[in-house]
Amino acid sequence: MRRRRADGGPRESVIDDRSVVCSYTRNFGRRSSELLSAPRAFSSFTGYGTFNVLLLAAALPIAWTGIFDTTTTVFILAAAECDLRLTFIRNGVLLAFPFIGMTTTSFLWDYITPYIGLRNLFVLSLFFDTVLNVLSSAVESYTTLLIIKFFSGILVGGPLSMATIYLSDFHSTKYKASFTRWSTLAVNVGFIVPAILAFSILPQSWVMNVLNRRYTSWRIYLLVCSIIPLLGLLTASSLPQSPKYFLEIGRPDHALKLLRIMYSVNKRKSADTFPIKALLTQQTAYQLSLRSFFRQSSERLRLSCYNAKLLFSEPYLLVVSHLGFLQFSSMLAFNTMRLWVPHLFIILNNFDKERWIEDRRPTMHEMLDPRWSLPAREHFNCSNFDELCLTWTIFSAVFQKSTIIALSTVTFSFLAGILATSKLKKKTILLTTFLLSLISSFGVNWAYNVTYMLILSSMIIVTMRIAGNIITAMNAEVIPLPLRSSSLSVLTTIGNVGAILGNLILSAFLNMTCIGPFLGLGCLLLACFCVSFCYPEPIRASPRSLTQSNA
């Protein structure tokens, strides 16, 4: 279909939701003009039931793979320290590298997906991710592991983050809110599984020979975790392409066949009774020759740049800056603490209390000093102590508590999402989370007790996850629909940058003092607490700018 440009120029071809026309053999009491609908609207006739549940179950390993790729490294740092010659600085760089991969390439996938299809993209990415995960369990070089984590981050920031987008094409807007809530809960359960596996495997003194290579517990752990992308590869291979994709590539017969299957499974009726008998679609850009790929991609890039320019100009600039600052801070705190707590508390649990001779309790920085650890007892007086690699005792209780933290994060985030149904409730939850997190940040270094330190650290993780979800919900409220996707992409990138900087800054300060990063984090969260008193109002954009953003 064609639309006249906002500047009065000639009409131009555009791809929008109304480019698809459906023909019915039955009249449902609607005018023919109201039967023009987006592909997702067809799902309102297929219902929501068994097919959608099975589809969600099949897509879960795909979504979990992205979580595993950014999480499993956290649990092996202490066990792999001597094998990979890890230090605090090296740990921070290693934890930041997946986010670097996510940030540098995430914008590319929007241009590739329409030509390949999400299902095909899932299969390719999961195949390569499985290979990368298996290789990571066998690496001997720190540099090699960095490269693997960078490419894993590229996959996480692209195909593996699109599982919920794929699933949304199979249900109508009627079920959108309910589906989003429960599917997000199911996906977030993936944060708990790596901790459970770490609790089961890493404290063990297992040694295996695989292809003449010695596999200790941390390598076995990574090898076991590679089962998730392999399982995702198997389930992704059985997933159908979405009806929307079939219509976009000009195959309405395939789309209709899939809709009939969905109808039959969900309604438990014969596919022959499906009310839609034919789908008609106009030729779209995806049906053109391959030579038009770069032309279409450049047009999409132009549109993305225009939307980004629009977001960072009036009247959007103030609101985007407001949300961006809150997102940057919350994701910095969440991902930094989430990725460092297991390793730091393994070291804290290795603190040698019997050798502490001061008449005061040690601070966190002193407890993290390798010279005061249990493994250093026999080497304390060695002249080359700084060159020694200490073997930490892996306490299963640390991973057990990490599992509890992950479970608490998932549970409270889900409950907060149910409660945040109004502007006042969102604002109250946001203020409460930032208040609790800033108190925890200021207090964690002077807790003087490992249990209290863990409680305060976990408080930051839980509250900042909730804050991040509330900020995303705020974005959906205050940004106009045509720019909402672009704004969400900007917020995601800002959050990833926060995760990168947080891990690098904390690792740099741990060798000097723990007070600096936690005080700095507390001051940052204090600023967020103050900013949260101002809840942004929805923007009423000019019709001209929104029309151009759709064109």
Side-chain angles (χ1 to χ4, degrees):
M1 85 185 276
R2 294 182 179 271
R3 176 187 298 159
R4 183 169 294 279
R5 288 170 49 180
D7 56 6
R11 292 182 297 176
E12 58 184 2
S13 296
V14 297
I15 302 169
D16 68 4
D17 286 338
R18 293 177 298 173
S19 61
V20 181
V21 182
C22 53
S23 299
Y24 301 89
T25 57
R26 292 173 57 187
N27 188 344
F28 292 94
R30 303 177 184 177
R31 294 176 301 170
S32 59
S33 60
E34 294 176 335
L35 295 179
L36 296 177
S37 177
R40 185 183 296 177
F42 299 146
S43 301
S44 61
F45 292 94
T46 63
Y48 188 92
T50 305
F51 183 92
N52 302 86
V53 173
L54 293 176
L55 199 69
L56 173 61
L60 274 183
I62 303 172
W64 283 10
T65 297
I67 296 174
F68 270 59
D69 285 352
T70 59
T71 305
T72 52
T73 309
V74 177
F75 298 105
I76 68 164
L77 295 179
E81 188 164 307
C82 292
D83 292 339
L84 300 176
R85 306 301 297 177
L86 298 177
T87 62
F88 281 140
I89 292 292
R90 284 189 158 204
N91 288 343
V93 174
L94 182 60
L95 295 176
F97 248 60
F99 295 97
I100 295 175
M102 294 164 63
T103 304
T104 54
T105 60
S106 59
F107 69 96
L108 294 175
W109 299 104
D110 287 337
Y111 310 116
I112 299 174
T113 303
Y115 299 92
I116 300 178
L118 277 177
R119 197 281 304 272
N120 296 337
L121 208 55
F122 289 153
V123 172
L124 290 173
S125 62
L126 287 164
F127 172 77
F128 288 113
D129 195 80
T130 302
V131 173
L132 290 174
N133 274 272
V134 173
L135 290 177
S136 69
S137 69
V139 296
E140 300 286 349
S141 166
Y142 171 77
T143 304
T144 304
L145 187 58
L146 279 182
I147 296 173
I148 289 174
K149 286 302 171 182
F150 176 78
F151 283 106
S152 293
I154 292 176
L155 298 176
V156 170
L160 300 179
S161 66
M162 298 180 183
T164 53
I165 297 176
Y166 167 82
L167 292 172
S168 67
D169 288 337
F170 288 87
H171 65 272
S172 64
T173 53
K174 175 182 177 181
Y175 306 100
K176 181 177 180 180
S178 176
F179 171 80
T180 301
R181 183 183 305 115
W182 290 103
S183 64
T184 301
L185 175 63
V187 170
N188 285 340
V189 170
F191 285 103
I192 305 172
V193 181
I196 295 176
L197 292 176
F199 170 75
S200 304
I201 298 173
L202 289 175
Q204 310 300 327
S205 56
W206 296 340
V207 178
M208 295 172 53
N209 287 322
V210 179
L211 299 176
N212 295 324
R213 188 178 295 273
R214 185 172 179 268
Y215 269 62
T216 53
S217 59
W218 71 268
R219 296 184 186 276
I220 296 173
Y221 171 73
L222 291 181
L223 195 60
V224 171
C225 289
S226 66
I227 294 175
I228 295 297
L230 179 60
L231 179 61
L233 176 61
L234 297 177
T235 58
S237 301
S238 63
L239 291 176
Q241 294 283 11
S242 70
K244 178 181 177 181
Y245 176 74
F246 281 131
L247 291 170
E248 287 177 339
I249 64 174
R251 295 195 173 181
D253 52 331
H254 288 70
L256 182 58
K257 182 179 179 181
L258 177 57
L259 291 171
R260 285 174 174 170
I261 294 174
M262 294 170 59
Y263 172 82
S264 177
V265 174
N266 287 336
K267 301 284 190 177
R268 302 183 187 279
K269 297 180 181 179
S270 172
D272 295 333
T273 62
F274 186 54
I276 301 176
K277 301 302 180 182
L279 299 177
L280 305 178
T281 180
Q282 296 177 347
Q283 182 168 327
T284 68
Y286 310 127
Q287 293 174 267
L288 302 177
S289 65
L290 189 60
R291 290 179 299 177
S292 65
F293 173 80
F294 292 105
R295 180 172 61 84
Q296 297 297 332
S297 297
S298 64
E299 180 64 20
R300 286 174 172 271
L301 180 61
R302 183 199 65 79
L303 180 59
S304 298
C305 292
Y306 174 80
N307 287 346
K309 179 182 177 181
L310 204 60
L311 287 171
F312 288 98
S313 61
E314 294 296 337
Y316 306 96
L317 179 60
L318 185 60
V319 172
V320 172
S321 300
H322 182 114
L323 296 177
F325 175 68
L326 295 180
Q327 182 78 347
F328 173 84
S329 304
S330 61
M331 290 299 98
L332 183 150
F334 169 70
N335 284 300
T336 302
M337 297 305 297
R338 173 177 75 91
L339 298 177
W340 276 95
V341 160
H343 181 57
L344 292 182
F345 279 87
I346 285 177
I347 300 177
L348 291 174
N349 279 276
N350 275 270
F351 178 70
D352 192 352
K353 299 178 182 178
E354 297 180 3
R355 285 200 299 119
W356 181 255
I357 58 176
E358 301 289 338
D359 57 353
R360 58 176 177 81
R361 293 182 178 180
T363 63
M364 176 183 280
H365 176 65
E366 291 164 333
M367 296 177 71
L368 291 174
D369 189 340
R371 292 182 178 275
W372 293 106
S373 64
L374 290 170
R377 277 187 175 184
E378 301 177 359
H379 312 285
F380 184 73
N381 295 322
C382 295
S383 58
N384 62 339
F385 179 83
D386 293 335
E387 300 177 3
L388 296 176
C389 181
L390 302 178
T391 303
W392 303 110
T393 301
I394 308 298
F395 294 96
S396 59
V398 173
F399 302 125
Q400 184 181 32
K401 292 172 182 175
S402 297
T403 304
I404 295 174
I405 293 174
L407 179 61
S408 301
T409 303
V410 172
T411 302
F412 285 109
S413 297
F414 178 73
L415 294 177
I418 294 177
L419 295 175
T421 56
S422 66
K423 176 181 175 179
L424 178 61
K425 291 180 179 179
K426 288 185 178 70
K427 183 177 180 178
T428 302
I429 293 174
L430 200 63
L431 287 170
T432 303
T433 54
F434 279 120
L435 178 62
L436 292 175
S437 62
L438 73 90
I439 293 173
S440 301
S441 299
F442 284 129
V444 68
N445 193 65
W446 292 282
Y448 298 116
N449 184 285
V450 174
T451 301
Y452 295 151
M453 291 178 186
L454 182 62
I455 292 174
L456 293 174
S457 299
S458 61
M459 184 73 70
I460 299 174
I461 298 172
V462 175
T463 55
M464 289 301 92
R465 180 64 179 183
I466 295 173
N469 293 342
I470 296 297
I471 295 165
T472 302
M474 289 168 60
N475 174 77
E477 282 186 357
V478 301
I479 302 295
L481 182 60
L483 294 174
R484 198 168 293 165
S485 177
S486 298
S487 178
L488 184 60
S489 297
V490 170
L491 291 181
T492 302
T493 301
I494 291 174
N496 289 337
V497 171
I500 295 169
L501 293 179
N503 281 285
L504 295 179
I505 292 172
L506 181 60
S507 64
F509 273 92
L510 282 175
N511 284 322
M512 298 179 289
T513 175
C514 291
I515 298 178
F518 285 110
L519 283 180
L521 180 61
C523 292
L524 181 64
L525 296 176
L526 176 60
C528 290
F529 175 73
C530 297
V531 170
S532 298
F533 279 99
C534 301
Y535 196 99
E537 294 295 330
I539 299 175
R540 297 289 181 258
S542 66
R544 173 185 175 88
S545 62
L546 293 184
T547 300
Q548 289 179 336
S549 69
N550 276 332

